[in-house]
Amino acid sequence: MRPIRPGDRGPAVTEIRTVLTGLDLLSKATGPHHDEFDAATERAVRAFQQSRGLSVDGRVGAETWRALDAARWRLGARTLYHAVPVPLTGEDVRSLQERLLEMGYDVGGADAVYGVRTSRAVAQFQREVGLAPDGTCGPHTMGALRRLGRKVVGGRPQWLRESDAIRQSGPTLVGRTVVIDPGHGGTDPGVVVADGPLRWTEADLVHDLANRLEGRLAASGVRVQLTRGPVPETCLPDIDRAQLANSLGADVFISLHADGHANPEAEGVATYHYGTDNGVTSATGERLAGLVQREIVARTGLRDCRTHAKAWELLRLTRMPAVRVEVGYLTSPSDRSRLVDPRFRDKLVEAIVAAVQRMYLPIERDVPTGSIDVSELRAAVAAGTVVD
Ligand SMILES: [Zn+2]
């Protein structure tokens, strides 16, 4: 075919511009709205050729056309399988390969060709998550990939099973065990702030929160255990708190803290889950952290200091999804004025309960952040119906 080149017009140019717009190489504003191979189109074609390792001439010949055609496929739009003798190629294959690579599967490289190795990697993934290992990426396999999200990394397939096992255990909270860990205590008050005649301590504040959370979760049929009482004699080290949660066979571990900083302007909520600098992360811990963080931000308006991966003993040694929530800065006058208000603490607790519930909802039945009414959950339990 004769290359399509600058100055050409027609439906083929519109198609090229549509694909380039979809790839964000052409601005959405001008995008596919006209059929002229103008200077912007030429620049976009060159950028595309460069990104695909094609010879860069700014014209669309047969090879560039095939590459553009492959680029239209979005992962999930069609079933992928190992076709012979002409293998399937496309951006969707490349996305699938990248995702499998991230998860530690051997696909060779992300070459956008669905060959034997990709098919074998898909089969291995399917086996790990309990699907029929046929090496074909159809709706079920896509669903499993989507549920597990992008951040299962470090070649730890057992975490894939862990995530899926949690969802498959069903949405009910009844009978689950949650260990709540109010930070500090005993000889360690945590962050202490004198406010006129008043003295606020992190240890007291988070114990009150833990109490409220215990009440709410117990009302939903959850077995709850706190790692300490209101005035313990000594401060239990984190390693013992983790071991306590393990020995109780907890399903979820939630550690509660408040932050402090010399700068009174530091404020906001942050949630931590297990992970290391080289990208190893607990998929379920990360998901729970994300839910807790989003629910708290949506329901309280505290500043969003996001979720972070940490290799702290508390998170590393616990064998269940575990998070540590820093519910705001006691040293920030604005965070403090809210934290000392019991109604605000109830809001925090509602957010955490909603997050724990969402952890067990299958992805297709998950609900928007801020939308779970915790009192309805309680009513459903009281009425003897399974929370669903
Ligand atoms: Zn603390």
Side-chain angles (χ1 to χ4, degrees):
M1 90 188 220
R2 168 191 167 277
I4 304 164
R5 58 183 67 145
D8 285 354
R9 300 191 81 108
V13 177
T14 308
E15 285 233 49
I16 291 166
R17 290 178 56 92
T18 304
V19 178
L20 292 169
T21 306
L23 295 170
D24 285 331
L25 292 171
L26 263 180
S27 117
K28 294 240 178 345
T30 56
H33 303 309
H34 65 90
D35 67 349
E36 191 192 338
F37 201 125
D38 57 11
T41 311
E42 190 190 352
R43 275 196 302 277
V45 168
R46 285 176 181 275
F48 175 75
Q49 289 171 324
Q50 186 132 34
S51 73
R52 293 302 187 276
L54 301 166
S55 39
V56 180
D57 61 4
R59 300 164 174 214
V60 180
E63 195 182 5
T64 301
W65 181 264
R66 276 197 301 277
L68 281 168
D69 194 49
R72 318 165 187 267
W73 292 104
R74 286 267 175 262
L75 188 56
R78 59 174 175 173
T79 293
L80 295 171
Y81 58 98
H82 180 218
V84 280
V86 184
L88 294 179
T89 60
E91 270 321 286
D92 49 352
V93 179
R94 188 195 305 273
S95 307
L96 173 67
Q97 289 170 325
E98 283 172 352
R99 200 166 297 188
L100 289 167
L101 277 171
E102 278 174 3
M103 295 193 295
Y105 291 94
D106 175 24
V107 297
D111 60 2
V113 180
Y114 204 97
V116 180
R117 257 168 114 170
T118 303
S119 171
R120 256 191 235 132
V122 167
Q124 196 193 339
F125 168 77
Q126 290 170 320
R127 216 171 287 124
E128 301 283 8
V129 297
L131 292 171
D134 61 3
T136 293
C137 185
H140 290 299
T141 307
M142 266 317 302
L145 281 165
R146 250 194 295 268
R147 283 205 303 281
L148 294 167
R150 294 187 60 80
K151 291 295 286 282
V152 188
V153 291
R156 296 285 301 273
Q158 62 269 40
W159 272 324
L160 309 188
R161 285 195 294 269
E162 186 191 311
S163 305
D164 247 26
I166 284 180
R167 304 256 166 55
Q168 281 164 13
S169 69
T172 183
L173 289 181
V174 177
R176 301 201 192 265
T177 302
V178 173
V179 169
I180 306 170
D181 172 45
H184 311 278
T187 48
D188 171 18
V191 179
V192 181
V193 174
D195 195 357
L198 301 169
R199 181 173 176 274
W200 303 106
T201 76
E202 177 188 358
D204 291 345
L205 180 88
V206 296
H207 190 270
D208 173 87
L209 266 180
N211 252 336
R212 289 168 195 267
L213 184 55
E214 179 183 24
R216 286 303 177 91
L217 285 171
S220 300
V222 175
R223 275 197 296 266
V224 185
Q225 178 87 33
L226 268 55
T227 55
R228 70 167 173 90
V231 275
E233 279 179 21
T234 56
C235 180
L236 203 60
D238 278 354
I239 186 167
D240 292 347
R241 297 175 194 238
Q243 267 156 17
L244 175 62
N246 290 343
S247 69
L248 289 166
D251 295 297
V252 169
F253 179 87
I254 299 166
S255 185
L256 299 169
H257 285 252
D259 233 326
H261 197 278
N263 181 348
E265 283 179 23
E267 60 172 30
V269 55
T271 309
Y272 299 86
H273 60 89
Y274 176 72
T276 65
D277 290 342
N278 56 21
V280 173
T281 179
S282 159
T284 51
E286 183 173 0
R287 174 164 159 78
L288 179 60
L291 290 169
V292 167
Q293 180 71 14
R294 290 201 301 278
E295 288 285 350
I296 290 180
V297 169
R299 289 170 191 253
T300 66
L302 283 172
R303 181 189 291 275
D304 185 359
C305 300
R306 300 199 293 278
T307 63
H308 304 273
K310 293 283 176 192
W312 296 328
E313 277 178 335
L314 190 75
L315 303 173
R316 181 163 55 82
L317 299 176
T318 35
R319 289 198 291 262
M320 67 293 308
V323 295
R324 170 167 157 173
V325 195
E326 298 277 349
V327 296
Y329 281 77
L330 215 40
T331 45
S332 147
S334 97
D335 278 5
R336 185 170 65 245
S337 70
R338 305 170 79 183
L339 287 168
V340 301
D341 177 354
R343 285 164 308 179
F344 183 80
R345 294 202 290 273
D346 277 338
K347 273 197 214 163
L348 275 172
V349 162
E350 297 244 340
I352 296 170
V353 173
V356 171
Q357 174 65 79
R358 284 179 68 190
M359 171 96 178
Y360 291 103
L361 290 178
I363 205 86
E364 48 297 346
R365 279 163 57 201
D366 198 6
V367 296
T369 298
S371 69
I372 286 187
D373 181 342
V374 177
S375 60
E376 268 176 34
L377 280 179
R378 213 171 28 239
V381 171
T385 52
V386 172
V387 177
D388 200 328

